[in-house]
Amino acid sequence: MARESFDKEIELLRLLVLTGGVFSRKESAERLGISVHTLDKALRRLREAASAAGADGSPGEDGELGLGRLLQARRERGGDPLLLFLFRSRSLKESETARLALLQGELGKGGRTAAELLDACCGGWPEASPWPDEKTIRSDLAYLEKAGIVAREGGRPVRYRLRDELWTALEPEELRRLELFVHAMAHTRVPSVHGFLLQDSLRRLLGRDGALSAGVGFAYRYDCRILDEAYLHPLLAAIEERRTASFEYLTPKSEHRYAARGTNPLHARTSPARQIAMLPLKAVYDHQYGRWYALGFTRAHGLSAWRMEGMSGLAIGGAADPELFARKREQLDARLRTSWLVDLGETTRVSVRFFRPEGAEYDFVRERVLLQGQWGETTEEGPDSFRYDIEVNGTREIRPWLRSFGSSCEVLEPEELRQDMIEEWKELAETYGAAVRQGAQS
């Protein structure tokens, strides 16, 4: 649960992860829409976080962004993603981290009131730093309570306690099996800060030698999605509480990936991003491409979908009309019934002929269509082929799936999709044909 926005770091990290740090400082700054000086400041903060995580993120001699290579190398070694530590280090200020650690340490001794916790924090606080006040302590307790770390006990004054039922209710063997399950899920499903933190807690409780996952490693393909949690969880909370949201949006096709704000009013510049005011209704994850989408209602666009990686400056607004939320949510669910993923366009009938593999005992083409074809229907045409029909919102999202079957798939209708697929394969044939001719000449 991030307590502050760090859009520059999110976009910079995403650029580093997706490109492997191949761009120079100047090229990266241009793509992010910020100055090289601002980029260097963000890099310095990220290197400090990387050093705190036990890694060296210094740049190479050629001036390239060595942090990108560090991220990739850590992933290849099978360790926990460095993005987790970078996310965590930027989610809380240093003073907040120290206070929360003191609070949890004191609550580990038993139930405490806010006044008792204030005394304990002041007693363990560095003399050179200003002491926290009661309002700050209560704000921290509210944050820990919302995160599910502490709970209130009845009576006056209110007492707080750690929620440690998970550790005390399970036997050691059950905890070890839970640690293995969390380890597998955290590294093979959509990566989550919460999952990695739970894994860390279990390992500290059991000790590294007592963990069943010792020596077992996984690698998730899209580990950069851990950055989307900075916006995912606030949006999920806004959906649950029926609240509005606003953000700046840059389409993924834009030259800039970050809407930089001028810090000097005399030199402010126009932001290339669009300002979006939305009633969030649903969050959807695309497992094929590793993308999060926020679906909602805007007065300018109606029901629409926004890729979460294009958002910056997210702000949660006031409560929405419950009747409006219920009505728009019902409309969205109805529109999504024929959506391959999040496409909200007009419904189109797609008909495809699939060819069975020649000479193969196992019809893997048909099995894959039955597994991934969602609500589409198949009809036998003979020993060599079968037909697949589906009504889907538009053809943009289903097209990559059809393309992945190669020559085992022939689009029959709509005619526009068929012609588009023909043109794509013509371009591929021309590209590979030119490469073959060039190889033959050499």
Side-chain angles (χ1 to χ4, degrees):
M1 295 175 58
R3 299 190 72 175
E4 64 171 301
S5 174
F6 48 106
D7 296 319
K8 279 196 297 295
E9 286 80 2
I10 288 177
E11 294 303 332
L12 174 56
L13 283 170
R14 185 174 284 116
L15 178 67
L16 291 172
V17 171
L18 295 179
T19 64
V22 298
F23 293 108
S24 66
R25 291 163 52 247
K26 181 180 180 181
E27 292 170 334
S28 297
E30 290 176 350
R31 292 178 66 87
L32 292 170
I34 59 179
S35 67
V36 175
H37 175 69
T38 303
L39 175 73
D40 288 340
K41 288 174 61 178
L43 277 172
R44 185 167 58 252
R45 287 193 292 267
L46 294 180
R47 290 194 186 100
E48 290 173 356
S51 298
D56 178 18
S58 57
E61 295 180 358
D62 54 359
E64 294 182 353
L65 305 183
L67 190 60
R69 296 192 298 275
L70 169 66
L71 294 170
Q72 182 66 20
R74 189 180 180 90
R75 179 180 183 275
E76 292 173 353
R77 289 196 301 268
D80 292 344
L82 182 60
L83 297 177
L84 165 69
F85 301 101
L86 298 174
F87 181 101
R88 184 164 49 186
S89 68
R90 288 294 300 157
S91 296
L92 295 172
K93 297 177 181 177
E94 184 177 354
S95 59
E96 291 173 337
T97 304
R99 285 200 314 272
L100 294 179
L102 284 172
L103 289 174
Q104 293 180 66
E106 190 64 24
L107 288 171
K109 304 174 184 177
R112 296 288 191 273
T113 65
E116 292 171 340
L117 290 170
L118 175 62
D119 293 339
C121 280
C122 291
W125 201 251
E127 295 183 0
S129 302
W131 287 3
D133 54 22
E134 185 174 353
K135 181 179 179 181
T136 302
I137 295 299
R138 292 189 181 277
S139 175
D140 290 337
L141 289 171
Y143 168 72
L144 291 173
E145 185 178 6
K146 187 176 181 180
I149 298 174
V150 304
R152 297 190 184 196
E153 295 179 335
R156 287 187 175 277
V158 175
R159 302 180 69 84
Y160 296 86
R161 64 172 180 83
L162 278 181
R163 295 186 61 182
D164 57 354
E165 296 89 348
L166 177 64
W167 322 123
T168 58
L170 298 179
E171 298 294 331
E173 180 61 24
E174 293 175 319
L175 286 172
R176 282 194 290 270
R177 292 184 178 276
L178 175 63
E179 187 271 337
L180 178 60
F181 173 78
V182 171
H183 176 68
M185 295 297 290
H187 289 84
T188 58
R189 299 295 177 179
V190 181
S192 169
V193 171
H194 300 79
F196 285 109
L197 295 184
L198 176 57
Q199 174 184 294
D200 290 343
S201 299
L202 286 165
R203 285 181 173 176
R204 284 197 301 269
L205 183 67
L206 295 169
R208 291 282 173 173
D209 295 337
L212 287 178
S213 67
V216 180
F218 301 91
Y220 184 78
R221 184 178 179 186
Y222 300 109
D223 54 6
C224 61
R225 292 305 149 206
I226 202 169
L227 300 172
D228 291 327
E229 289 197 28
Y231 289 160
L232 173 62
H233 289 288
L235 280 172
L236 290 177
I239 293 172
E240 182 178 357
E241 299 169 3
R242 281 36 172 187
R243 302 174 72 89
T244 61
S246 63
F247 53 88
E248 289 185 328
Y249 187 76
L250 280 164
T251 173
K253 297 181 181 179
S254 172
E255 294 181 359
H256 290 169
R257 297 297 301 116
Y258 171 71
R261 297 178 180 85
T263 55
N264 187 336
L266 298 178
H267 299 88
R269 64 176 182 167
T270 303
S271 170
R274 288 181 290 168
Q275 186 68 37
I276 305 298
M278 179 181 69
L279 175 61
L281 301 171
K282 182 174 288 189
V284 176
Y285 182 71
D286 180 1
H287 68 87
Q288 184 174 4
Y289 289 102
R291 298 170 181 161
W292 277 104
Y293 290 88
L295 280 67
F297 171 75
T298 68
R299 298 195 180 277
H301 305 89
L303 294 174
S304 51
W306 310 88
R307 276 169 60 170
M308 211 166 289
E309 65 191 82
M311 296 180 178
S312 65
L314 176 69
I316 304 302
D321 180 13
E323 294 184 2
L324 174 65
F325 182 91
R327 185 168 66 253
K328 294 303 178 183
R329 179 62 180 264
E330 184 178 354
Q331 294 175 2
L332 177 64
D333 291 339
R335 295 277 295 278
L336 289 176
R337 289 193 185 102
T338 53
S339 174
W340 188 258
L341 181 66
V342 295
D343 198 332
L344 301 173
E346 296 297 326
T347 303
T348 303
R349 182 176 182 82
V350 176
S351 297
V352 181
R353 177 176 290 118
F354 285 99
F355 300 96
R356 291 186 169 89
E358 296 183 5
E361 297 181 0
Y362 177 64
D363 190 352
F364 59 86
V365 173
R366 179 178 175 81
E367 290 300 318
R368 183 182 168 196
V369 171
L370 293 176
L371 177 65
Q372 302 175 352
Q374 304 203 54
W375 60 91
E377 298 179 353
T378 59
T379 305
E380 292 294 333
E381 289 188 333
D384 298 328
S385 65
F386 63 92
R387 185 182 176 111
Y388 168 79
D389 297 280
I390 187 173
E391 289 191 352
V392 65
N393 294 353
T395 60
R396 176 177 56 87
E397 292 180 340
I398 196 175
R399 185 177 302 185
W401 182 70
L402 297 174
R403 190 188 299 119
S404 67
F405 284 91
S407 60
S408 298
C409 165
E410 177 190 1
V411 175
L412 303 178
E413 57 179 90
E415 183 63 25
E416 181 181 359
L417 175 61
R418 178 181 174 87
Q419 291 301 319
D420 287 345
M421 298 289 282
I422 290 174
E423 292 301 320
E424 287 182 8
W425 287 112
K426 283 183 178 179
E427 292 180 7
L428 286 172
E430 183 178 351
T431 300
Y432 284 100
V436 170
R437 290 191 298 270
Q438 184 178 359
Q441 293 175 358
S442 60

